[in-house]
Amino acid sequence: MVSLRSLSIWFFFFVFLINPSISIRTSFIKLPTSDRSRYCDSWRLAAETNNAGTWDVIPSICVDFVAEYLNGDQFRSDYDVIADYALAFAKSVEIAGDGKDVWIFDIDETLLTNIDYYKAHGYGSEPYDDNSFSEWVVQGTAPAFDSSLRLYNALKKLGFTIILLTGRDEHQRSSTETNLRDAGYSGWERLLLRGPNDQGKSATKYKSEQRSKLIEEGFKIRGNSGDQWSDLLGFAVADRSFKVPNPMYYIP
Amino acid sequence: MVSLRSLSIWFFFFVFLINPSISIRTSFIKLPTSDRSRYCDSWRLAAETNNAGTWDVIPSICVDFVAEYLNGDQFRSDYDVIADYALAFAKSVEIAGDGKDVWIFDIDETLLTNIDYYKAHGYGSEPYDDNSFSEWVVQGTAPAFDSSLRLYNALKKLGFTIILLTGRDEHQRSSTETNLRDAGYSGWERLLLRGPNDQGKSATKYKSEQRSKLIEEGFKIRGNSGDQWSDLLGFAVADRSFKVPNPMYYIP
């Protein structure tokens, strides 16, 4: 009943899932391509649905799979369909016209794609490096996701107040603003970045606190778009949250 | 810049997503198979991540896609990987040994698979029919998901108290218990079904209320497994929730 193939999958599960913090080299595991692709697809679904919980780096056997997904048509289609659902919801919202109906956007991997950076860093298979990512941010050359720009502009036309809420630091404000404008974004009401008091906080806490302050100011948070569950969960959540795909990294 | 193919996709999005309540026949739309498969994969991701919000029936162009997915290896793999993540989390929980550490399971499409029923009803492309599904429940022949049974038994061994929380009605208790036992499940602490006071409540409200009562009784809800977001969200949520895939129907 137990084939060699299923045994190899079980071994794989044992090593990588029962204790996902183990980061040994996996190149010696010779899973058939179809099994590997199937596993990586399941892993991606588990990550996107937040079933995987906190994870450090993508499974090393899934690097090719993730690269192929990100550079292919499926990723773009996944983004597009979510943008369409977000827009359908947005159209159902009654806008009061007092500027208090808010849509929140995260920036990295939500409005802007850093795929050129991650391409040079193993598509999420290398641990996050703050220094090199900061250098990338200063360059300010990240392009927009087409479907995010489309959604962003449509929301503005519908009368939503756009607020950008990012884990980037206050000292990156200028290069972030320039990058956003160069990528085609304009007309946001606020750009909220991590200040000195936000250092060390989890993204979930920091972003929930920021949303809570907005609500105290009288804003109604109708929609929220982010590539991380920590953009969307916690407290003071939006009426509807939209999780765009990101199989490269997880921010708690 | 705009190809005929992308125009046809846009038309498709317009008709089905901007207003998903439109339920016209779609057989006249001749999307290339690869585009259809790509769209259906994106739709499935949107549904699994709760980005799609409330939906009635699966898009009619995705019936073959959903059937192929459910009957293929990917679905089983997706379930397995989530069971592994759930088990990895469960092993990290310190069990007090007082019987208060609880794992909640939903039943339909979580412990038991009704795929034989849905196979005869268009895999979720037909609207839900309470009468015919009730007849199916009385038969009591739904098999277990292998990975759910594996998880269930492993959790019992770890010392979790198992509580079953289902949207099925109190009058279906006996056939439900028999079906569960025949499928291999045993040793649950309670089987909670909808009573007279729960009629007409959304699943989210009903299940949240039930979880809340358990917490008032001193139970600590460590984990929760369900195929619907309404099994998992609301209030009195578990420490970790695990969403198993179900591309056939949505219960609010």
Side-chain angles (χ1 to χ4, degrees), chain A residues 115-190:
Chain A
I115 194 165
D116 290 339
Y117 172 83
Y118 285 100
K119 195 175 195 168
H121 292 84
Y123 290 107
S125 59
E126 297 173 11
Y128 176 72
D129 183 75
D130 198 46
N131 287 336
S132 69
F133 190 73
S134 295
E135 284 168 27
W136 163 258
V137 165
V138 170
Q139 287 179 37
T141 55
F145 286 101
D146 289 346
S147 41
S148 294
L149 186 55
R150 174 170 66 84
L151 173 63
Y152 183 100
N153 286 331
L155 292 172
K156 278 203 302 182
K157 262 195 188 158
L158 287 170
F160 285 91
T161 295
I162 309 285
I163 291 182
L164 311 184
L165 176 51
T166 173
R168 290 188 178 192
D169 266 31
E170 190 57 60
H171 73 266
Q172 295 168 318
R173 177 178 290 276
S174 161
S175 47
T176 300
E177 283 177 344
T178 307
N179 193 155
L180 285 165
R181 291 219 171 81
D182 288 350
Y185 295 102
S186 65
W188 57 84
E189 173 74 18
R190 294 190 199 174

Side-chain angles (χ1 to χ4, degrees), chain B residues 11-62:
Chain B
F11 173 74
F12 177 79
F13 284 155
F14 175 77
V15 172
F16 296 96
L17 295 174
I18 303 307
N19 188 348
S21 66
I22 296 175
S23 63
I24 60 169
R25 284 183 62 85
T26 58
S27 51
F28 67 91
I29 296 181
K30 299 286 183 205
L31 274 182
T33 310
S34 63
D35 287 0
R36 193 165 61 185
S37 166
R38 187 182 309 134
Y39 168 74
C40 294
D41 215 19
S42 295
W43 171 79
R44 181 169 69 87
L45 183 66
E48 289 302 338
T49 49
N50 212 13
N51 283 316
T54 305
W55 49 276
D56 282 334
V57 293
I58 65 172
S60 59
I61 64 159
C62 296

Side-chain angles (χ1 to χ4, degrees), chain B residues 30-248:
Chain B
K30 299 286 183 205
L31 274 182
T33 310
S34 63
D35 287 0
R36 193 165 61 185
S37 166
R38 187 182 309 134
Y39 168 74
C40 294
D41 215 19
S42 295
W43 171 79
R44 181 169 69 87
L45 183 66
E48 289 302 338
T49 49
N50 212 13
N51 283 316
T54 305
W55 49 276
D56 282 334
V57 293
I58 65 172
S60 59
I61 64 159
C62 296
V63 177
D64 291 350
F65 172 91
V66 168
E68 201 176 310
Y69 168 68
L70 290 171
N71 292 300
D73 291 329
Q74 192 61 53
F75 182 51
R76 207 174 337 139
S77 165
D78 290 351
Y79 248 86
D80 245 12
V81 168
I82 293 165
D84 286 322
Y85 275 114
L87 193 50
F89 163 69
K91 287 181 178 173
S92 76
V93 174
E94 274 192 55
I95 302 288
D98 56 3
K100 295 295 190 188
D101 294 292
V102 161
W103 199 285
I104 294 177
F105 280 98
D106 168 62
I107 295 180
D108 291 303
E109 267 55 70
T110 301
L111 292 184
L112 300 177
T113 167
N114 300 302
I115 194 165
D116 289 340
Y117 171 82
Y118 285 100
K119 196 176 193 166
H121 291 83
Y123 290 108
S125 59
E126 297 173 11
Y128 175 73
D129 182 75
D130 199 46
N131 287 337
S132 69
F133 191 72
S134 294
E135 284 168 25
W136 164 257
V137 165
V138 170
Q139 288 179 36
T141 55
F145 285 101
D146 289 346
S147 41
S148 294
L149 187 54
R150 173 170 66 84
L151 174 63
Y152 183 100
N153 286 330
L155 292 172
K156 276 203 303 183
K157 262 196 189 158
L158 286 171
F160 285 91
T161 295
I162 309 284
I163 291 182
L164 311 184
L165 176 51
T166 173
R168 290 188 179 192
D169 266 30
E170 189 59 58
H171 73 265
Q172 296 168 316
R173 177 178 291 275
S174 161
S175 47
T176 300
E177 284 177 344
T178 307
N179 193 155
L180 285 165
R181 291 218 172 82
D182 288 349
Y185 295 102
S186 65
W188 57 84
E189 173 72 19
R190 294 190 199 174
L191 167 60
L192 301 171
L193 304 103
R194 271 184 197 255
N197 296 333
D198 303 314
Q199 302 304 320
K201 282 179 189 167
S202 73
T204 307
K205 184 167 191 288
Y206 155 66
K207 294 203 166 184
S208 294
E209 285 174 355
Q210 296 298 317
R211 287 195 303 269
S212 201
K213 283 182 197 167
L214 292 171
I215 291 170
E216 280 166 29
E217 283 187 59
F219 288 109
K220 289 160 281 180
I221 305 175
R222 302 308 195 177
N224 188 2
S225 296
D227 65 295
Q228 299 289 322
W229 285 101
S230 54
D231 295 330
L232 310 171
L233 300 179
F235 52 94
V237 298
D239 294 347
R240 279 284 296 275
S241 294
F242 295 90
K243 165 76 176 75
V244 290
N246 181 0
M248 297 190 296

Side-chain angles (χ1 to χ4, degrees), chain A residues 20 106 129 187 207 234:
Chain A
D106 168 60
D129 183 75
K207 295 202 166 184

Side-chain angles (χ1 to χ4, degrees), chain A residues 200-214:
Chain A
K201 282 178 190 166
S202 73
T204 308
K205 186 169 190 288
Y206 155 65
K207 295 202 166 184
S208 294
E209 285 174 356
Q210 296 297 318
R211 287 196 303 270
S212 201
K213 283 182 197 166
L214 292 172

Side-chain angles (χ1 to χ4, degrees), chain A residues 42 51 77-78 240 243, chain B residues 10 42 51 77-78 240 243:
Chain A
S42 294
N51 283 318
S77 166
D78 290 351
R240 278 284 297 275
K243 164 76 176 76
Chain B
W10 274 102
S42 295
N51 283 316
S77 165
D78 290 351
R240 279 284 296 275
K243 165 76 176 75

